[in-house]
């Protein structure tokens, strides 16, 4: 029975694609599909996906990975890029996360998009995204991963620019796409470098990018490169993963991505797409573990991002942007865990965070629908409950944060850092909850209930005096206090401004963009000069002038001389024109006489000459 | 069964026969008749060329190959191998699309417009299927005549005549060097083998010294690179493409540029591999500069047609890079990208043409919000733009990636590896200028231009065929690669 789920998973993966195509084609030929039909088709896809991925779990946990090849994408000599699917534990777990979150989000979108006339397009994109992400998760080799990776990037771009009439959304979507593109290119460069190494050094030019051969590939890459080159090779993959997962210094794109409708933020920019970077890092671990430097870089960058994004989040007043920073920070923790070699905890934390973050977005979006134009932001009770869990003040959250703390305990520096991150996480989450929860939405009874629940769960799990819980509690209290104070009197400090603008890291982007634009202008300037061909034209014209000069003074000269002579003669001889008949007759007689004499003379000379013969 | 009826001279000269029929006095002078007749003829021709694909076994050679100048061994013959077949199919598809797209343009002198287009098709098919270097040269020069008149007479801009002259001058000067190269090739072959034979396949210059090969290779390259084009001899291209009418731009970018790539593979790579091995690394560096530089220039343009024109140069640079890799993967990638890019630019120029037709301007500063009034058009434009920036599942992605893999795995020289790595940012730069094109003209609020109606049927056909082919070759590249994977160019014995 379980094999049935694994064998047919590819149909489940491809089903959203069919739905997306169906919606697109039907719309194109102006066939009206009712929103109900579309939503039923869409939600069915996620539901079946969820059932299949849950059904797969027992197999995935027990057996060896199932790898199936379907067809050759590109096959030239020894280069054989294949398409297929593979299911192992990681893939099964991530599929569960994907289909679970997308199921909830799609149900939510039915309400959210009720008044949107272009809802069909939205659902088509969601389906396309599901296909891309599922394909990414089940892909058996690096190349197929890259294809799916790009595809989800494109769908995310299309969804951010969903309301393209809005100029800020359109610009944000473009920025997100181009920032992601940088990561994509780094990732592709990494893949191509691996291909290069295999084409040159592998026995029989055996080229494989399969994850199942990753140990072999890594060993080969390690053996045939020196240390620096190997580090660069790994870093190319890391850059790709960091950009996709919004790590320092690229977390800005995640903030831009918040221009997307809230369901999209819940599905793509918190639970699924941003985890692609983590996913690929776990897949590439056989390569990374060969070098301690790489693992250290991953860990340090992850922790630094966690700290940096947490600080940035502390002063945000926009809930979605705050959640984006929080996503970046939590993914930083995940990267740090991977860097410390604790992949299982990283995966678990990834799942935990993905589900909770999606829930946070949805509960926020449920009471703050962009399409209903509410002025005041409202924080619903569910949001607060999720905040309590995510901050590590209640079940599962407490234990997870404790486990994470234990991993980092080996070094006091890291331990302090992770405690600060936990403190800040609770701080900004509670601050924002308090800032926007008026007396109407959260009454006193609810508040007391939450407090009791926190202490009860802490006592039950026995971690009431452990550092993570204490930090989180302090953070929560500090958050509430600061929020109260802010509600009374709002002051603008320079540090606050700095944090608010994310340490002005986007100035770096605008500087790069302006620099590139200037460079383009310079290139255009050169091009303009080249296109107008001034240089060539000058040369050509001077040639033409030279030719004209030669023509004028060299070849025309004899003829000119003749004409000058004639003109001179005609001027000199015009005295003969006297307008007097007798003179003309005299001329005539003279001329006739001269001719006559000449002929006679010639004749006689010729005769004499002949006679002399 | 029908395979017996296929004949290469018919394939090449069919458009010319149609053109002569249109010119004849007994042909009706009705514009609509001429348009439909041409459309039908070109589509029939497309089907005819598809039969060549269906029947393809080990290449075609025309039985009809009379001596042209017997004492010099010059024949007038045709032959087709895998490379020619791919290019022929691309040509017939692009011409069909261009003729369909011609419906909404060119109200004046329609008869001569279609005659020239058909003449153009014969010339280009002649280049791709010539068996003899002199018939190759004949067709190479012949194509200038229709191209010149199509740009100069039916051009859209005020400077159309100037651009046409520029185009002809540049190509012609290049051809002078090329002719010299071809003559030297013929002469050296005579010295080496002792027989006068102009057949391309029969040339054997292995015994000739490398220096002389280098000379010939270099002279030929000048002619081919003007057509390709690479910087700094690309200057004719933006002007010619911008000022030409939309269907002619589609032909120019879709097919004409590929004649350069075809010729480099055919002559420099196949006939003079040893010399080309020396030139290739240098040429690859020029190609890299060409890719990056023109991508940057494209970003600074405000005319949408110029953006597309510069993107063409950038992509042709990539194709040149693939050829310079001198291995099977790189060459296959280059051929694949020829087809992919041919289709992509076809679609992009069609998009530009539709925008210009509706808005009477191509300046992105005056465009905006077309997506709102033309949603169907917007869908197609987005798909084609995504294809052009190398998004997976479109053919452009496969072409780019395979080409760069080929360049990286080149065993030629160490330079190639770095050139290939530095060519990768092209993916970022191309997304910069293409997204600028899409966002500035389609997104945001509507400006002065308010199109009254969405795409018409013939525009739909052109765009849909382009997108479907791009998706087909992108999702299942083997369908196209199958044609040339056995080609001698790819599997042939190389010195390396």
């Amino acid at each position: 029975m379980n094999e049935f789920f694994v064998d047919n998973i590819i149909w489940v993966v491809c089903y959203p694609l069919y739905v997306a195509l169906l919606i697109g084609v039907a719309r194109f030929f102006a066939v009206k599909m009712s929103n109900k039909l579309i939503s039923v088709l869409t939600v069915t896809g996620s539901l079946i996906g969820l059932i299949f991925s849950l059904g797969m779990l027992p197999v995935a946990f027990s057996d060896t990975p199932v790898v199936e090849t379907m067809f050759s994408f590109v096959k030239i000599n020894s280069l054989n890029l294949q398409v297929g699917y593979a299911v192992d534990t990681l893939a099964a777990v991530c599929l569960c996360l994907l289909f679970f979150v997308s199921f909830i989000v799609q149900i939510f979108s039915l309400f959210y998009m009720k008044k949107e006339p272009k809802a069909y397009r939205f659902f088509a994109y969601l389906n396309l995204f599901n296909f891309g992400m599922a394909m990414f998760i089940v892909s058996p080799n690096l190349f197929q991963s890259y294809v799916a990776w790009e595809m989800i990037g494109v769908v995310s771009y299309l969804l951010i620019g969903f309301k393209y009439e809005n100029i800020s959304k359109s610009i944000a979507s473009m920025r997100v796409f181009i920032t992601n593109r940088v990561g994509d290119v780094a990732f592709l460069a990494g893949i191509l470098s691996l291909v290069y190494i295999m084409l040159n050094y592998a026995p029989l030019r055996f080229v494989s990018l399969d994850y199942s051969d990753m140990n072999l590939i890594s060993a080969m890459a390690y053996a045939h490169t020196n240390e620096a080159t190997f580090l660069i090779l790994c870093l190319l993959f890391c850059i790709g993963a960091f950009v996709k997962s919004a790590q320092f210094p690229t977390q800005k794109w995640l903030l831009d991505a918040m221009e997307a409708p809230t369901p999209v933020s819940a599905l793509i920019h918190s639970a699924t797409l941003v985890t692609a970077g983590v996913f690929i890092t776990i897949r590439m671990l056989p390569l990374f573990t060969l070098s301690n430097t790489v693992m250290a870089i991953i860990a340090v960058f992850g922790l630094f991002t966690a700290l940096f994004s947490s600080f940035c989040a502390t002063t945000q007043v926009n809930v979605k942007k705050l959640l984006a920073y929080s996503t970046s920070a939590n993914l930083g923790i995940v990267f740090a865990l991977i860097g410390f070699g604790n992949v299982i905890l990283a995966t678990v934390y990834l799942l935990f965070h993905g589900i909770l973050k999606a829930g946070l977005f949805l509960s926020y979006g449920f009471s703050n629908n962009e399409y209903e134009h509410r002025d005041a932001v409202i924080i619903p009770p569910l949001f607060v409950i999720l905040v309590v869990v995510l901050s590590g003040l209640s079940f599962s959250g407490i234990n997870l944060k404790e486990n994470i703390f234990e991993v980092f305990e080996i070094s006091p520096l890291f331990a302090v850092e992770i405690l600060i991150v936990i403190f800040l996480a609770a701080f900004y989450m509670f601050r924002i909850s308090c800032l926007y929860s008026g007396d109407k939405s959260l009454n006193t009874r609810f508040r007391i209930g939450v407090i009791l629940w926190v202490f009860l769960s802490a006592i039950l799990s026995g971690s009431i005096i452990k550092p993570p819980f204490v930090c989180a509690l302090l953070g929560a209290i500090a958050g509430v206090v600061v929020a109260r104070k802010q509600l009374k009197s709002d002051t603008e400090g320079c540090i606050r401004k700095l944090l608010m603008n994310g340490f002005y890291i986007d100035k770096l982007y605008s500087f790069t963009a302006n620099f590139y634009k200037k460079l383009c202008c310079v290139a255009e300037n050169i091009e303009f000069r080249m296109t107008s061909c001034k240089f060539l034209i000058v040369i050509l014209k001077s040639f033409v002038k030279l030719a004209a000069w030669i023509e004028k003074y060299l070849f025309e000269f004899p003829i000119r001389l003749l004409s000058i002579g004639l003109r001179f003669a005609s001027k000199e001889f015009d005295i003969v024109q006297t307008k007097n008949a007798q003179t003309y007759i005299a001329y005539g007689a003279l001329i006739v006489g001269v001719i006559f004499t000449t002929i006679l003379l010639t004749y006689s000379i010729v005769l004499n000459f002949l006679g002399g013969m | 069964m029908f395979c017996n009826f296929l004949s290469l001279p018919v394939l090449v000269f069919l458009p010319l026969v149609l053109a002569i029929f249109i010119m004849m006095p007994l042909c009706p002078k009705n514009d609509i008749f001429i348009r439909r007749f041409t459309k039908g003829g070109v589509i029939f021709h497309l089907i005819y060329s598809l039969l060549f694909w269906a029947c393809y076994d080990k290449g075609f050679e025309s039985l009809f190959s009379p001596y042209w100048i017997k004492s010099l061994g010059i024949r007038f013959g045709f032959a087709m191998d895998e490379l020619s077949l791919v290019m022929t199919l691309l040509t017939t598809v692009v011409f069909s699309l261009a003729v369909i797209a011609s419906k909404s343009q060119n109200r004046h002198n329609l008869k001569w417009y279609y005659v020239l287009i058909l003449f153009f098709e014969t010339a280009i098919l002649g280049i791709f299927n010539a068996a003899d270097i002199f018939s190759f040269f004949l067709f190479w020069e012949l194509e200038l005549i229709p191209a010149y008149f199509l740009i100069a007479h039916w051009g859209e801009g005020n400077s159309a005549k100037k651009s046409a002259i520029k185009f002809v001058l540049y190509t012609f000067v290049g051809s002078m060097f090329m002719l010299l190269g071809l003559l030297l090739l013929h002469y050296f072959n005579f010295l080496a083998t002792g027989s006068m034979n102009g057949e391309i396949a029969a040339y054997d210059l292995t015994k000739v010294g490398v220096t002389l090969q280098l000379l010939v290779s270099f002279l030929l390259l000048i002619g081919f690179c003007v057509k390709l084009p690479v910087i700094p001899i690309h200057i004719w291209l933006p002007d010619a493409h911008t000022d030409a009418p939309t269907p002619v731009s589609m032909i120019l970018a879709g097919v004409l540029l590929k004649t350069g790539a075809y010729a480099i593979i055919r002559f420099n790579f196949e006939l003079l591999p040893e010399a080309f091995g020396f030139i290739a690394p240098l040429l690859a560096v020029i190609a890299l500069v060409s890719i990056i530089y023109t991508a940057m220039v494209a970003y600074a343009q405000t005319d949408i047609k110029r953006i597309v024109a510069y993107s063409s140069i950038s992509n042709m640079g990539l194709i040149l890079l693939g050829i310079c890799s001198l291995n099977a993967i790189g060459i296959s990638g280059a051929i694949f990208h020829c087809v992919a890019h041919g289709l992509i630019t076809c679609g992009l120029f069609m998009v530009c043409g539709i925008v210009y037709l509706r808005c009477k301007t191509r300046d992105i500063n005056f465009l905006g919000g077309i997506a709102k009034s033309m949603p169907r058009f917007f869908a197609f434009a987005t798909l084609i733009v995504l294809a052009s920036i190398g998004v997976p599942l479109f053919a452009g992605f496969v072409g780019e990636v395979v080409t760069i893999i080929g360049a990286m795995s080149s065993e030629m020289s160490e330079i190639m590896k770095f050139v290939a790595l530095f060519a990768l940012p092209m993916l970022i730069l191309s997304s910069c200028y293409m997204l600028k094109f899409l966002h500035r003209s389609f997104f945001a609020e509507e400006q002065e231009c308010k199109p009254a109606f969405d795409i018409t049927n013939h525009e739909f056909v052109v765009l849909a065929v382009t997108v479907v082919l791009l998706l087909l070759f992108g999702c299942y590249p083997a369908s196209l690669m199958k044609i040339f994977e056995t080609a001698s160019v790819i599997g042939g014995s190389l010195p390396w």
Side-chain angles (χ1 to χ4, degrees), chain A residues 202-367:
Chain A
L204 296 172
R205 298 181 135 226
F206 158 79
V207 179
S208 162
L209 291 169
D210 290 357
Y211 293 125
S212 47
D213 297 333
M214 199 41 85
N215 285 321
L216 212 72
I217 298 168
S218 312
M220 204 183 299
Y222 192 66
H224 293 287
T225 49
N226 57 21
E227 202 153 320
T229 323
F230 185 74
L231 189 64
I232 291 171
L233 174 66
C234 293
L235 281 185
L236 286 174
F237 285 107
C238 285
I239 291 171
F242 282 167
V243 173
K244 205 66 164 183
S245 290
Q247 297 299 292
F248 179 81
T250 54
Q251 67 274 73
K252 183 69 176 38
W253 78 258
L254 201 56
L255 296 186
D256 282 330
M258 289 302 135
E259 297 273 1
T262 311
V264 176
S265 306
L267 173 63
I268 299 183
H269 304 119
S270 68
T272 51
L273 177 126
V274 284
T275 60
V278 177
F279 188 87
I280 211 74
T281 313
I282 296 176
R283 285 278 193 234
M284 296 302 292
L285 268 185
L287 186 73
F288 294 161
T289 40
L290 289 176
S291 160
N292 284 331
T293 327
V294 178
M295 294 301 270
I297 286 174
I298 293 173
V300 167
F301 255 85
L303 264 182
F304 183 71
T305 309
L307 205 61
F308 184 89
S309 296
S310 300
F311 270 119
C312 291
T314 47
T315 53
Q316 288 298 322
V317 283
N318 184 325
V319 180
K320 280 180 85 176
K321 286 196 171 163
L322 180 128
L323 289 177
Y325 270 128
S326 144
T327 306
S328 164
N330 281 309
L331 287 173
I333 296 176
V334 175
F335 268 111
L337 285 173
I338 294 174
F340 274 81
N342 205 330
V343 179
I344 293 171
L345 188 58
T347 319
V348 173
Y349 191 63
L350 197 69
L351 284 179
F352 167 76
H353 164 257
I355 292 170
L356 283 183
K357 194 48 77 61
L360 279 172
F361 269 110
L362 290 184
S363 59
Y364 167 75
F366 204 73
S367 38

Side-chain angles (χ1 to χ4, degrees), chain B residues 13 76 78 122-123 126-127 135-143:
Chain B
F13 286 114
F76 190 76
F78 299 103
T122 287
I127 296 174
S135 39
F136 171 83
F137 183 74
L138 171 78
F139 286 114
W140 184 274
E141 294 298 306
L142 266 187
E143 87 191 359

